[in-house]
Amino acid sequence: MLLVHGWGVSGALFEAQIDALAPRYRLIVPDLPGHGASGPFPKHAPFSLLADSLAALIDELELQHPLVVGWSLGALVAWDLLLRYRDLGVAGLVTIDMVPHVLNDAAWSHGLREGSDSHAFGRDLEAMRADWNAYAELFVPRIFAPGFDDGPGGRLEQTRAIARANDPESQITIWKRMVEKDLRGALRTIEVPALCVCGERSQLYSVAACEWVAAQMPHARTAVIPGAGHAPHLEAPDHFNTVLSEFADSVIENHPEITLQPAETGLD
């Protein structure tokens, strides 16, 4: 499994999957360019650099039939990866609470909630440039379901710390590239088995948006995690891990050449 994190954070937010799933599956959990331990995202680089970095990683590690799991920005990168690198042998795809175009307009209402359009996009950029730490304090709670607060040292506080540690210029550049991306018309060409997971109480995207995404891909279905927000793998890890494992095993059943032989640690 290649686990790809969302915008503004890092692969560290897959800790609950690492703890639960590494004994059974081999997990690869990178930090995308501009995030976590990776270097800055070049100011003039295209969005495709993100998918290119994953393709290079798959090639370097000689991964065979990977299952790509993308959360938020990671889902957009995963779609871009499958569309641009069709010979990678990806066995399956899991997307977590994401749509192929994030801004709304008169003809598109499945983007970010709260009427996020080109005007809201401009305000967000101004806020990021003015004070990245303050912006991180505000956007991180929206990752979770409304009212989520697990106290000092909990997942909310940890996520804020991860966000604050990221390079602001990289986040601004990637945000701009992300909102420019539009893969709505291309999803129908993604032929691999796919699972579209979303949180029932997501503050960013609706369940209807998740269902729309699944309807576009020929071999996709939806899984809604009750009570969770934009990050069901963080908020309801046991439920999410069960759903992910069941889907992974269904993919394995269709690929007799795949065997479950985890490495000693199960984790890269």
Side-chain angles (χ1 to χ4, degrees):
M1 290 187 189
L2 179 63
L3 306 179
V4 190
H5 63 81
W7 175 82
V9 288
S10 76
L13 295 188
F14 285 115
E15 181 180 5
Q17 286 63 60
I18 294 169
D19 291 344
L21 302 179
R24 180 170 173 80
Y25 310 98
R26 182 185 181 191
L27 305 181
I28 296 91
V29 191
D31 287 341
L32 290 169
H35 297 79
S38 291
F41 188 92
K43 188 171 183 179
H44 299 292
F47 184 86
S48 58
L49 174 65
L50 300 169
D52 291 345
S53 71
L54 293 185
L57 181 63
I58 291 171
D59 183 64
E60 179 183 349
L61 297 179
E62 299 182 346
L63 302 183
Q64 303 295 316
H65 310 295
L67 174 64
V68 181
V69 181
W71 168 46
S72 195
L73 166 66
L76 197 61
V77 176
W79 285 320
D80 198 38
L81 176 75
L82 267 67
L83 291 167
R84 295 177 57 248
Y85 292 91
R86 294 183 181 273
D87 59 349
L88 279 179
V90 172
L93 170 68
V94 178
T95 61
I96 308 171
D97 207 49
M98 189 54 176
V99 296
H101 185 55
V102 302
L103 293 187
N104 296 300
D105 56 36
W108 173 248
S109 61
H110 288 315
L112 284 163
R113 285 183 161 179
E114 300 181 0
S116 292
D117 53 19
S118 58
H119 297 295
F121 165 61
R123 292 194 298 270
D124 281 335
L125 284 179
E126 290 175 3
M128 291 176 207
R129 291 190 179 103
D131 190 333
W132 169 252
N133 286 343
Y135 186 83
E137 290 293 312
L138 292 175
F139 94 77
V140 166
R142 296 187 65 219
I143 291 174
F144 299 87
F148 181 91
D149 187 352
D150 54 352
R155 286 160 287 177
L156 180 61
E157 188 174 286
Q158 292 169 6
T159 304
R160 276 179 164 143
I162 290 169
R164 288 194 301 267
N166 279 326
D167 171 48
E169 286 301 320
S170 292
Q171 303 315 302
I172 290 169
T173 300
I174 294 170
W175 178 259
K176 291 165 65 177
R177 300 292 182 269
M178 180 173 66
V179 300
E180 293 166 355
K181 200 70 177 174
D182 187 351
L183 298 177
R184 284 175 290 181
L187 295 189
R188 64 180 182 275
T189 69
I190 294 178
E191 297 282 350
V192 302
L195 178 66
C196 302
V197 183
C198 61
E200 177 191 30
R201 304 183 66 214
S202 173
Q203 298 188 70
L204 299 190
Y205 304 103
S206 66
V207 172
C210 184
E211 293 171 341
W212 184 93
V213 169
Q216 306 311 301
M217 292 183 283
H219 308 292
R221 60 183 177 86
T222 304
V224 182
I225 307 297
H230 180 60
H233 61 295
L234 274 173
E235 300 166 83
D238 291 343
H239 191 161
F240 175 85
N241 290 344
T242 297
V243 168
L244 177 57
S245 295
E246 290 175 350
F247 178 74
D249 291 346
S250 73
V251 171
I252 291 170
E253 288 176 3
N254 293 323
H255 287 270
E257 68 276 21
I258 299 177
T259 57
L260 285 175
Q261 297 178 329
E264 290 184 8
T265 63
L267 173 69
D268 285 310

